[in-house]
Amino acid sequence: MHSGYWLIATIAIPLLVAAVLVFVPDERKNVVRWLSALAGAALFAISTYVFFAYEVNSGEEYQFLIRFNWLENVGFLEENGMSLMFGIDGIAAPMVLLTGIVAFGGALISWKIEHHNKDFFILFWVLVSGVYGTFTALDLFFFFFWYEVAVLPMYLLIAVWGSSSVFPTFERTKEYSAMKLTIMLVAASILIFMGIFAVFHEAGLGTFDLRELYAHEFDPDFQKLVFPLFVIGCGVLAGLWPFHTWSPDGHVSAPTAVSMLHAGVLMKLGAFGIIRLGIQLLPEGATFWMPGLMILATANVVYGAFAATAQRDFKYMIGYSSVSHMGLVLMGLATMNVIGVNGAVLQMFAHGVMTALFFAMVGTVYDQAHTRDMTLFSGLVQRMPLFVFFFGTAGLASLGLPGLAGFVAEFHVFVGTFETYPWAGALGIFAAMLTAVYILRMWSMSFFGPVNEQWNDLQEMTYLERGTAVLLLSFMLFMGLWPAPFVDRIQESVRNLPGVT
């Protein structure tokens, strides 16, 4: 079988499952659950195979290549105008694996959904299909197409299956969060759309083939003009400060599986877009604007960490922590050196599994207590020791403990940043110390101390929740203890990025 069909399968399976679910009667909820669990398992298996089958030092920039011509020699399109073309490099390979892990975990954790579970899973799988398509597309038109397929289901998933919260000083409804997220991401997509057609017109090649566009030398002034469209357009989805405000609200209102996909995978599409559309297409524009991105990324890291220390809601704390950690991704990209950009991609994977575990654990306690206020919990370790173990381990990965995925990624980012912007590296280290503050604060408030008798009825994690946690924790340990499979794949492709030295 042609190797490219494995990539086709990652996109086709979730779409096929979504189509089959349309015809399943609403009352057959277990059929919906089992079909989704099987689809998640299949995607996880294929993603793992694709990651390990990717050959390091093969000499081929893209592997698993497959192409189906669609529109050519029509109007302004010439040969190879628009085509369904897929392939992965060493940067996309870990992202495919990440999607498989989080999608499988999300399908398991969503087993308990009762309200219109068929409709939920239809949208869930359409979203997953869009994510796979974006990470593997090598045609600029279809890159944008899959990007939108991944983003747009978020509105309904949050507005219908999300939850509203009332805080002492404000109220956040799920409809507000869903609309805010949608408006900001659609506005950002308009910038990306403008950039894509500017690139297509300027190149004058009559094709959206990314490999041909990468080989074209764009005028430096054009690159400096268009690069901000991509870095801001994609940066909004990556949580770039000051365009990050949709992110914590979206995390808080989203159901558990959507929070996992949202923070674990979707935000990575933004950073991935900066690499694919910004650095690879417009390297001179990237070199010119990266000092500006470094300033914004540093603000991300420090502001997100400070904001997280002030939160009392589990999800808001993790949401602002994600803003800070995605700032490390952007900081690594802004270094434009091999070790820094390598660290950025490592951080994309590490943050993906770590934050998915965080949100899975918050969903575990929220489903029983119906509150996420960490000040109301005390002594949870005596009621839910397994829950505290998994939640606590995610916290240790977040603060960069050696042996877990976060350390490997942050080490690369900080070394790369100190080589180019020592002041930013110093502020990043300061923010990492703040991470320890808010993680330990959460532990002291909720995990330890006298048992709050209000929560005597809390039950330990279900077997599905334990399975999801083990899956995510396994890859945190895998990357933390044996980073070579990740570093080798990513480094090979990062060295090929134009402008990265």
Side-chain angles (χ1 to χ4, degrees):
M1 186 176 78
H2 190 292
S3 62
Y5 284 114
W6 290 113
L7 299 186
I8 298 289
T10 61
I11 300 166
I13 288 174
L15 285 180
L16 182 63
V17 172
V20 170
L21 291 180
V22 170
F23 299 100
V24 175
D26 290 343
E27 63 274 16
R28 304 294 295 273
K29 295 183 185 299
N30 278 337
V31 173
V32 173
R33 292 171 179 134
W34 276 107
L35 277 174
S36 295
L38 290 172
L43 288 171
F44 170 64
I46 294 171
S47 301
T48 305
Y49 168 75
V50 167
F51 176 77
F52 284 103
Y54 180 87
E55 295 180 23
V56 182
N57 300 322
S58 68
E60 297 178 21
E61 189 171 1
Y62 297 99
Q63 299 177 28
F64 293 85
L65 266 175
I66 192 165
R67 176 178 206 143
F68 301 97
N69 289 337
W70 184 48
L71 283 177
E72 56 185 6
N73 300 317
V74 179
F76 49 74
L77 295 177
E78 299 181 9
E79 191 175 358
N80 301 329
M82 289 181 187
S83 58
L84 273 168
M85 183 168 57
F86 303 99
I88 57 168
D89 59 2
I91 296 171
M95 296 301 103
V96 168
L97 175 61
L98 173 66
T99 308
I101 297 166
V102 178
F104 186 28
L108 295 180
I109 212 80
S110 301
W111 194 277
K112 65 189 82 170
I113 287 181
E114 291 287 343
H115 176 62
H116 292 292
N117 79 330
K118 181 181 88 171
D119 301 328
F120 173 87
F121 276 111
I122 289 172
L123 291 168
F124 179 88
W125 290 120
V126 170
L127 186 157
V128 170
S129 174
V131 172
Y132 274 117
T134 309
F135 282 139
T136 58
L138 289 178
D139 181 279
L140 189 53
F141 173 82
F142 279 102
F143 181 98
F144 185 72
F145 171 79
W146 294 115
Y147 187 91
E148 294 304 306
V149 169
V151 167
L152 293 179
M154 290 293 291
Y155 175 79
L156 287 174
L157 286 168
I158 295 175
V160 177
W161 290 274
S163 57
S164 302
S165 305
V166 178
F167 300 98
T169 55
F170 68 100
E171 180 180 357
R172 189 64 76 233
T173 67
K174 57 185 181 180
E175 292 83 5
Y176 169 88
S177 299
M179 184 57 72
K180 182 179 182 180
L181 175 148
T182 304
I183 289 174
M184 292 193 70
L185 296 186
V186 168
S189 294
I190 293 171
L191 297 180
I192 300 172
F193 186 78
M194 292 166 60
I196 286 174
F197 275 89
V199 164
F200 177 81
H201 181 268
E202 179 70 11
L205 300 174
T207 179
F208 287 91
D209 185 328
L210 272 170
R211 293 182 303 167
E212 291 190 36
L213 292 170
Y214 290 153
H216 182 76
E217 291 189 12
F218 292 94
D219 179 78
D221 290 334
F222 172 81
Q223 295 193 36
K224 292 172 188 173
L225 184 66
V226 174
F227 181 80
L229 296 176
F230 288 139
V231 79
I232 295 175
C234 296
V236 172
L237 185 53
L240 174 65
W241 184 90
F243 311 107
H244 67 283
T245 58
W246 62 271
S247 175
D249 289 337
H251 291 321
V252 168
S253 299
T256 300
V258 177
S259 292
M260 291 167 65
L261 272 175
H262 179 184
V265 180
L266 247 72
M267 294 181 82
K268 312 307 177 289
L269 290 184
F272 189 75
I274 293 175
I275 297 172
R276 279 280 190 265
L277 307 184
I279 296 174
Q280 283 188 265
L281 268 176
L282 309 169
E284 292 187 62
T287 303
F288 180 80
W289 284 107
M290 280 309 184
L293 179 60
M294 179 59 80
I295 293 171
L296 296 181
T298 307
N300 257 76
V301 175
V302 177
Y303 165 79
F306 265 117
T309 60
Q311 305 306 315
R312 54 188 288 178
D313 182 286
F314 280 127
K315 274 196 167 183
Y316 262 119
M317 185 202 74
I318 300 168
Y320 281 106
S321 171
S322 289
V323 171
S324 180
H325 282 86
M326 284 305 295
L328 291 175
V329 172
L330 300 171
M331 187 181 272
L333 294 180
T335 62
M336 291 295 280
N337 59 41
V338 172
I339 191 167
V341 178
N342 204 354
V345 182
L346 288 167
Q347 176 71 359
M348 288 161 65
F349 183 89
H351 180 255
V353 289
M354 174 180 74
T355 201
L357 181 56
F358 261 142
F359 281 118
M361 293 303 97
V362 173
T364 296
V365 74
Y366 180 76
D367 288 343
Q368 298 184 60
H370 304 294
T371 179
R372 298 182 301 265
D373 189 337
M374 65 179 77
T375 64
L376 299 180
F377 296 97
S378 180
L380 277 177
V381 71
Q382 297 181 51
R383 298 280 176 228
M384 306 171 71
L386 265 181
F387 162 81
V388 168
F389 169 74
F390 287 116
F391 207 157
T393 308
L396 293 174
S398 179
L399 56 83
L401 186 77
L404 296 169
F407 173 79
V408 176
E410 292 181 21
F411 179 78
H412 280 74
V413 169
F414 288 138
V415 170
T417 306
F418 271 108
E419 279 187 8
T420 48
Y421 301 92
W423 59 270
L427 288 170
I429 294 288
F430 173 68
M433 291 189 291
L434 285 178
T435 303
V437 171
Y438 62 75
I439 293 296
L440 294 176
R441 171 176 169 267
M442 176 190 71
W443 287 10
S444 65
M445 277 185 175
S446 307
F447 295 173
F448 302 109
V451 178
N452 184 341
E453 295 184 358
Q454 180 184 358
W455 309 115
N456 278 346
D457 295 334
L458 287 182
Q459 302 294 314
E460 187 53 281
M461 301 163 65
T462 66
Y463 285 106
L464 282 174
E465 290 165 345
R466 295 177 195 190
T468 304
V470 168
L471 172 71
L472 295 165
L473 179 59
S474 300
F475 280 90
M476 284 167 51
L477 286 167
F478 173 38
M479 182 175 161
L481 297 174
W482 189 32
F486 295 90
V487 174
D488 293 346
R489 282 163 176 75
I490 297 167
Q491 191 167 259
E492 181 200 22
S493 294
V494 167
R495 283 184 175 139
N496 291 329
L497 292 178
V500 176
T501 56

PDB file of all heavy atoms in Angstrom, residues 75-103:
ATOM      1  N   GLY A  75      -8.873  28.986 -15.481  1.00  0.00           N
ATOM      2  CA  GLY A  75      -8.750  30.386 -15.079  1.00  0.00           C
ATOM      3  C   GLY A  75      -7.306  30.742 -14.754  1.00  0.00           C
ATOM      4  O   GLY A  75      -6.402  30.521 -15.564  1.00  0.00           O
ATOM      5  N   PHE A  76      -7.081  31.248 -13.546  1.00  0.00           N
ATOM      6  CA  PHE A  76      -5.722  31.650 -13.154  1.00  0.00           C
ATOM      7  C   PHE A  76      -4.897  30.474 -12.635  1.00  0.00           C
ATOM      8  O   PHE A  76      -3.748  30.646 -12.241  1.00  0.00           O
ATOM      9  CB  PHE A  76      -5.759  32.757 -12.087  1.00  0.00           C
ATOM     10  CG  PHE A  76      -6.679  32.469 -10.935  1.00  0.00           C
ATOM     11  CD1 PHE A  76      -6.330  31.541  -9.967  1.00  0.00           C
ATOM     12  CD2 PHE A  76      -7.886  33.144 -10.817  1.00  0.00           C
ATOM     13  CE1 PHE A  76      -7.158  31.280  -8.909  1.00  0.00           C
ATOM     14  CE2 PHE A  76      -8.728  32.881  -9.745  1.00  0.00           C
ATOM     15  CZ  PHE A  76      -8.364  31.951  -8.787  1.00  0.00           C
ATOM     16  N   LEU A  77      -5.499  29.295 -12.608  1.00  0.00           N
ATOM     17  CA  LEU A  77      -4.759  28.121 -12.138  1.00  0.00           C
ATOM     18  C   LEU A  77      -4.038  27.444 -13.293  1.00  0.00           C
ATOM     19  O   LEU A  77      -4.616  27.237 -14.357  1.00  0.00           O
ATOM     20  CB  LEU A  77      -5.710  27.116 -11.478  1.00  0.00           C
ATOM     21  CG  LEU A  77      -6.404  27.577 -10.201  1.00  0.00           C
ATOM     22  CD1 LEU A  77      -7.373  26.517  -9.710  1.00  0.00           C
ATOM     23  CD2 LEU A  77      -5.382  27.895  -9.120  1.00  0.00           C
ATOM     24  N   GLU A  78      -2.799  27.113 -13.079  1.00  0.00           N
ATOM     25  CA  GLU A  78      -2.031  26.392 -14.090  1.00  0.00           C
ATOM     26  C   GLU A  78      -1.853  24.936 -13.642  1.00  0.00           C
ATOM     27  O   GLU A  78      -2.593  24.456 -12.790  1.00  0.00           O
ATOM     28  CB  GLU A  78      -0.692  27.114 -14.310  1.00  0.00           C
ATOM     29  CG  GLU A  78      -0.903  28.552 -14.818  1.00  0.00           C
ATOM     30  CD  GLU A  78       0.388  29.293 -15.082  1.00  0.00           C
ATOM     31  OE1 GLU A  78       1.455  28.677 -15.033  1.00  0.00           O
ATOM     32  OE2 GLU A  78       0.314  30.508 -15.320  1.00  0.00           O
ATOM     33  N   GLU A  79      -0.865  24.267 -14.193  1.00  0.00           N
ATOM     34  CA  GLU A  79      -0.662  22.866 -13.823  1.00  0.00           C
ATOM     35  C   GLU A  79      -0.413  22.744 -12.320  1.00  0.00           C
ATOM     36  O   GLU A  79       0.290  23.578 -11.728  1.00  0.00           O
ATOM     37  CB  GLU A  79       0.537  22.295 -14.590  1.00  0.00           C
ATOM     38  CG  GLU A  79       0.662  20.793 -14.465  1.00  0.00           C
ATOM     39  CD  GLU A  79       1.798  20.250 -15.329  1.00  0.00           C
ATOM     40  OE1 GLU A  79       2.431  21.058 -16.041  1.00  0.00           O
ATOM     41  OE2 GLU A  79       2.034  19.045 -15.275  1.00  0.00           O
ATOM     42  N   ASN A  80      -0.996  21.710 -11.697  1.00  0.00           N
ATOM     43  CA  ASN A  80      -0.915  21.515 -10.246  1.00  0.00           C
ATOM     44  C   ASN A  80      -1.505  22.697  -9.486  1.00  0.00           C
ATOM     45  O   ASN A  80      -1.008  23.088  -8.432  1.00  0.00           O
ATOM     46  CB  ASN A  80       0.532  21.298  -9.786  1.00  0.00           C
ATOM     47  CG  ASN A  80       1.173  20.105 -10.444  1.00  0.00           C
ATOM     48  OD1 ASN A  80       0.494  19.135 -10.765  1.00  0.00           O
ATOM     49  ND2 ASN A  80       2.471  20.176 -10.690  1.00  0.00           N
ATOM     50  N   GLY A  81      -2.564  23.310 -10.036  1.00  0.00           N
ATOM     51  CA  GLY A  81      -3.161  24.494  -9.419  1.00  0.00           C
ATOM     52  C   GLY A  81      -3.589  24.257  -7.978  1.00  0.00           C
ATOM     53  O   GLY A  81      -3.021  24.825  -7.040  1.00  0.00           O
ATOM     54  N   MET A  82      -4.638  23.477  -7.779  1.00  0.00           N
ATOM     55  CA  MET A  82      -5.064  23.080  -6.427  1.00  0.00           C
ATOM     56  C   MET A  82      -5.097  21.564  -6.389  1.00  0.00           C
ATOM     57  O   MET A  82      -5.646  20.931  -7.296  1.00  0.00           O
ATOM     58  CB  MET A  82      -6.470  23.604  -6.115  1.00  0.00           C
ATOM     59  CG  MET A  82      -6.572  25.096  -5.911  1.00  0.00           C
ATOM     60  SD  MET A  82      -8.274  25.562  -5.530  1.00  0.00           S
ATOM     61  CE  MET A  82      -8.128  27.352  -5.556  1.00  0.00           C
ATOM     62  N   SER A  83      -4.539  20.971  -5.367  1.00  0.00           N
ATOM     63  CA  SER A  83      -4.516  19.511  -5.293  1.00  0.00           C
ATOM     64  C   SER A  83      -4.584  19.065  -3.847  1.00  0.00           C
ATOM     65  O   SER A  83      -4.113  19.757  -2.940  1.00  0.00           O
ATOM     66  CB  SER A  83      -3.247  18.958  -5.950  1.00  0.00           C
ATOM     67  OG  SER A  83      -2.111  19.484  -5.323  1.00  0.00           O
ATOM     68  N   LEU A  84      -5.207  17.905  -3.680  1.00  0.00           N
ATOM     69  CA  LEU A  84      -5.191  17.274  -2.354  1.00  0.00           C
ATOM     70  C   LEU A  84      -3.831  16.602  -2.205  1.00  0.00           C
ATOM     71  O   LEU A  84      -3.638  15.478  -2.665  1.00  0.00           O
ATOM     72  CB  LEU A  84      -6.319  16.254  -2.239  1.00  0.00           C
ATOM     73  CG  LEU A  84      -7.682  16.772  -1.771  1.00  0.00           C
ATOM     74  CD1 LEU A  84      -8.734  15.710  -1.988  1.00  0.00           C
ATOM     75  CD2 LEU A  84      -7.632  17.198  -0.321  1.00  0.00           C
ATOM     76  N   MET A  85      -2.911  17.307  -1.599  1.00  0.00           N
ATOM     77  CA  MET A  85      -1.552  16.781  -1.461  1.00  0.00           C
ATOM     78  C   MET A  85      -1.200  16.744   0.025  1.00  0.00           C
ATOM     79  O   MET A  85      -1.358  17.738   0.734  1.00  0.00           O
ATOM     80  CB  MET A  85      -0.553  17.647  -2.218  1.00  0.00           C
ATOM     81  CG  MET A  85       0.865  17.083  -2.145  1.00  0.00           C
ATOM     82  SD  MET A  85       1.997  17.883  -3.312  1.00  0.00           S
ATOM     83  CE  MET A  85       1.867  19.581  -2.859  1.00  0.00           C
ATOM     84  N   PHE A  86      -0.741  15.597   0.453  1.00  0.00           N
ATOM     85  CA  PHE A  86      -0.398  15.420   1.860  1.00  0.00           C
ATOM     86  C   PHE A  86       1.018  14.851   1.996  1.00  0.00           C
ATOM     87  O   PHE A  86       1.497  14.128   1.127  1.00  0.00           O
ATOM     88  CB  PHE A  86      -1.387  14.468   2.546  1.00  0.00           C
ATOM     89  CG  PHE A  86      -2.812  14.917   2.447  1.00  0.00           C
ATOM     90  CD1 PHE A  86      -3.657  14.377   1.476  1.00  0.00           C
ATOM     91  CD2 PHE A  86      -3.307  15.892   3.292  1.00  0.00           C
ATOM     92  CE1 PHE A  86      -4.976  14.799   1.376  1.00  0.00           C
ATOM     93  CE2 PHE A  86      -4.629  16.320   3.191  1.00  0.00           C
ATOM     94  CZ  PHE A  86      -5.462  15.771   2.232  1.00  0.00           C
ATOM     95  N   GLY A  87       1.635  15.178   3.102  1.00  0.00           N
ATOM     96  CA  GLY A  87       2.966  14.664   3.398  1.00  0.00           C
ATOM     97  C   GLY A  87       3.394  15.241   4.743  1.00  0.00           C
ATOM     98  O   GLY A  87       2.814  16.223   5.219  1.00  0.00           O
ATOM     99  N   ILE A  88       4.388  14.624   5.356  1.00  0.00           N
ATOM    100  CA  ILE A  88       4.857  15.134   6.650  1.00  0.00           C
ATOM    101  C   ILE A  88       6.371  15.263   6.644  1.00  0.00           C
ATOM    102  O   ILE A  88       7.077  14.534   5.957  1.00  0.00           O
ATOM    103  CB  ILE A  88       4.432  14.225   7.826  1.00  0.00           C
ATOM    104  CG1 ILE A  88       4.938  12.789   7.622  1.00  0.00           C
ATOM    105  CG2 ILE A  88       2.935  14.262   8.026  1.00  0.00           C
ATOM    106  CD1 ILE A  88       4.797  11.927   8.853  1.00  0.00           C
ATOM    107  N   ASP A  89       6.843  16.216   7.415  1.00  0.00           N
ATOM    108  CA  ASP A  89       8.276  16.313   7.695  1.00  0.00           C
ATOM    109  C   ASP A  89       8.472  16.006   9.183  1.00  0.00           C
ATOM    110  O   ASP A  89       7.535  15.577   9.862  1.00  0.00           O
ATOM    111  CB  ASP A  89       8.814  17.689   7.302  1.00  0.00           C
ATOM    112  CG  ASP A  89       8.111  18.819   8.048  1.00  0.00           C
ATOM    113  OD1 ASP A  89       7.243  18.520   8.890  1.00  0.00           O
ATOM    114  OD2 ASP A  89       8.438  19.998   7.806  1.00  0.00           O
ATOM    115  N   GLY A  90       9.664  16.253   9.686  1.00  0.00           N
ATOM    116  CA  GLY A  90       9.951  15.935  11.084  1.00  0.00           C
ATOM    117  C   GLY A  90       9.238  16.844  12.064  1.00  0.00           C
ATOM    118  O   GLY A  90       9.207  16.562  13.272  1.00  0.00           O
ATOM    119  N   ILE A  91       8.680  17.952  11.578  1.00  0.00           N
ATOM    120  CA  ILE A  91       7.896  18.842  12.447  1.00  0.00           C
ATOM    121  C   ILE A  91       6.451  18.346  12.535  1.00  0.00           C
ATOM    122  O   ILE A  91       5.837  18.350  13.604  1.00  0.00           O
ATOM    123  CB  ILE A  91       7.952  20.285  11.908  1.00  0.00           C
ATOM    124  CG1 ILE A  91       9.392  20.803  11.971  1.00  0.00           C
ATOM    125  CG2 ILE A  91       7.014  21.207  12.685  1.00  0.00           C
ATOM    126  CD1 ILE A  91       9.613  22.133  11.261  1.00  0.00           C
ATOM    127  N   ALA A  92       5.908  17.911  11.399  1.00  0.00           N
ATOM    128  CA  ALA A  92       4.522  17.452  11.386  1.00  0.00           C
ATOM    129  C   ALA A  92       4.363  16.077  12.035  1.00  0.00           C
ATOM    130  O   ALA A  92       3.306  15.776  12.601  1.00  0.00           O
ATOM    131  CB  ALA A  92       4.002  17.409   9.941  1.00  0.00           C
ATOM    132  N   ALA A  93       5.407  15.236  11.977  1.00  0.00           N
ATOM    133  CA  ALA A  93       5.289  13.866  12.509  1.00  0.00           C
ATOM    134  C   ALA A  93       4.873  13.848  13.987  1.00  0.00           C
ATOM    135  O   ALA A  93       3.924  13.132  14.356  1.00  0.00           O
ATOM    136  CB  ALA A  93       6.589  13.102  12.294  1.00  0.00           C
ATOM    137  N   PRO A  94       5.545  14.613  14.878  1.00  0.00           N
ATOM    138  CA  PRO A  94       5.077  14.592  16.279  1.00  0.00           C
ATOM    139  C   PRO A  94       3.700  15.225  16.465  1.00  0.00           C
ATOM    140  O   PRO A  94       2.988  14.873  17.407  1.00  0.00           O
ATOM    141  CB  PRO A  94       6.164  15.384  17.025  1.00  0.00           C
ATOM    142  CG  PRO A  94       6.923  16.135  16.003  1.00  0.00           C
ATOM    143  CD  PRO A  94       6.808  15.358  14.737  1.00  0.00           C
ATOM    144  N   MET A  95       3.321  16.138  15.576  1.00  0.00           N
ATOM    145  CA  MET A  95       1.993  16.734  15.683  1.00  0.00           C
ATOM    146  C   MET A  95       0.898  15.725  15.321  1.00  0.00           C
ATOM    147  O   MET A  95      -0.182  15.721  15.906  1.00  0.00           O
ATOM    148  CB  MET A  95       1.890  17.961  14.767  1.00  0.00           C
ATOM    149  CG  MET A  95       2.816  19.113  15.126  1.00  0.00           C
ATOM    150  SD  MET A  95       2.546  19.749  16.802  1.00  0.00           S
ATOM    151  CE  MET A  95       3.924  19.020  17.678  1.00  0.00           C
ATOM    152  N   VAL A  96       1.210  14.856  14.346  1.00  0.00           N
ATOM    153  CA  VAL A  96       0.264  13.788  14.003  1.00  0.00           C
ATOM    154  C   VAL A  96       0.105  12.836  15.196  1.00  0.00           C
ATOM    155  O   VAL A  96      -1.013  12.446  15.567  1.00  0.00           O
ATOM    156  CB  VAL A  96       0.755  13.021  12.755  1.00  0.00           C
ATOM    157  CG1 VAL A  96      -0.038  11.737  12.539  1.00  0.00           C
ATOM    158  CG2 VAL A  96       0.655  13.917  11.520  1.00  0.00           C
ATOM    159  N   LEU A  97       1.240  12.493  15.816  1.00  0.00           N
ATOM    160  CA  LEU A  97       1.178  11.623  17.000  1.00  0.00           C
ATOM    161  C   LEU A  97       0.378  12.290  18.115  1.00  0.00           C
ATOM    162  O   LEU A  97      -0.466  11.657  18.767  1.00  0.00           O
ATOM    163  CB  LEU A  97       2.601  11.309  17.478  1.00  0.00           C
ATOM    164  CG  LEU A  97       2.708  10.504  18.773  1.00  0.00           C
ATOM    165  CD1 LEU A  97       2.042   9.133  18.632  1.00  0.00           C
ATOM    166  CD2 LEU A  97       4.171  10.340  19.185  1.00  0.00           C
ATOM    167  N   LEU A  98       0.635  13.573  18.356  1.00  0.00           N
ATOM    168  CA  LEU A  98      -0.079  14.315  19.401  1.00  0.00           C
ATOM    169  C   LEU A  98      -1.589  14.277  19.165  1.00  0.00           C
ATOM    170  O   LEU A  98      -2.374  14.054  20.095  1.00  0.00           O
ATOM    171  CB  LEU A  98       0.417  15.771  19.429  1.00  0.00           C
ATOM    172  CG  LEU A  98      -0.339  16.731  20.341  1.00  0.00           C
ATOM    173  CD1 LEU A  98      -0.166  16.349  21.802  1.00  0.00           C
ATOM    174  CD2 LEU A  98       0.141  18.175  20.122  1.00  0.00           C
ATOM    175  N   THR A  99      -1.992  14.477  17.913  1.00  0.00           N
ATOM    176  CA  THR A  99      -3.422  14.473  17.601  1.00  0.00           C
ATOM    177  C   THR A  99      -4.038  13.107  17.890  1.00  0.00           C
ATOM    178  O   THR A  99      -5.148  13.017  18.436  1.00  0.00           O
ATOM    179  CB  THR A  99      -3.640  14.851  16.123  1.00  0.00           C
ATOM    180  OG1 THR A  99      -2.952  16.075  15.851  1.00  0.00           O
ATOM    181  CG2 THR A  99      -5.114  15.044  15.816  1.00  0.00           C
ATOM    182  N   GLY A 100      -3.320  12.046  17.542  1.00  0.00           N
ATOM    183  CA  GLY A 100      -3.828  10.701  17.804  1.00  0.00           C
ATOM    184  C   GLY A 100      -4.009  10.443  19.292  1.00  0.00           C
ATOM    185  O   GLY A 100      -5.009   9.853  19.719  1.00  0.00           O
ATOM    186  N   ILE A 101      -3.039  10.892  20.090  1.00  0.00           N
ATOM    187  CA  ILE A 101      -3.115  10.673  21.548  1.00  0.00           C
ATOM    188  C   ILE A 101      -4.302  11.429  22.144  1.00  0.00           C
ATOM    189  O   ILE A 101      -5.126  10.869  22.884  1.00  0.00           O
ATOM    190  CB  ILE A 101      -1.803  11.153  22.216  1.00  0.00           C
ATOM    191  CG1 ILE A 101      -0.609  10.335  21.732  1.00  0.00           C
ATOM    192  CG2 ILE A 101      -1.919  11.078  23.732  1.00  0.00           C
ATOM    193  CD1 ILE A 101       0.732  10.957  22.086  1.00  0.00           C
ATOM    194  N   VAL A 102      -4.394  12.714  21.829  1.00  0.00           N
ATOM    195  CA  VAL A 102      -5.420  13.555  22.464  1.00  0.00           C
ATOM    196  C   VAL A 102      -6.823  13.199  21.959  1.00  0.00           C
ATOM    197  O   VAL A 102      -7.790  13.198  22.724  1.00  0.00           O
ATOM    198  CB  VAL A 102      -5.100  15.051  22.233  1.00  0.00           C
ATOM    199  CG1 VAL A 102      -6.185  15.935  22.845  1.00  0.00           C
ATOM    200  CG2 VAL A 102      -3.747  15.413  22.834  1.00  0.00           C
ATOM    201  N   ALA A 103      -6.931  12.869  20.656  1.00  0.00           N
ATOM    202  CA  ALA A 103      -8.248  12.509  20.126  1.00  0.00           C
ATOM    203  C   ALA A 103      -8.757  11.217  20.772  1.00  0.00           C
ATOM    204  O   ALA A 103      -9.936  11.112  21.133  1.00  0.00           O
ATOM    205  CB  ALA A 103      -8.177  12.355  18.603  1.00  0.00           C
TER     206      ALA A 103
END
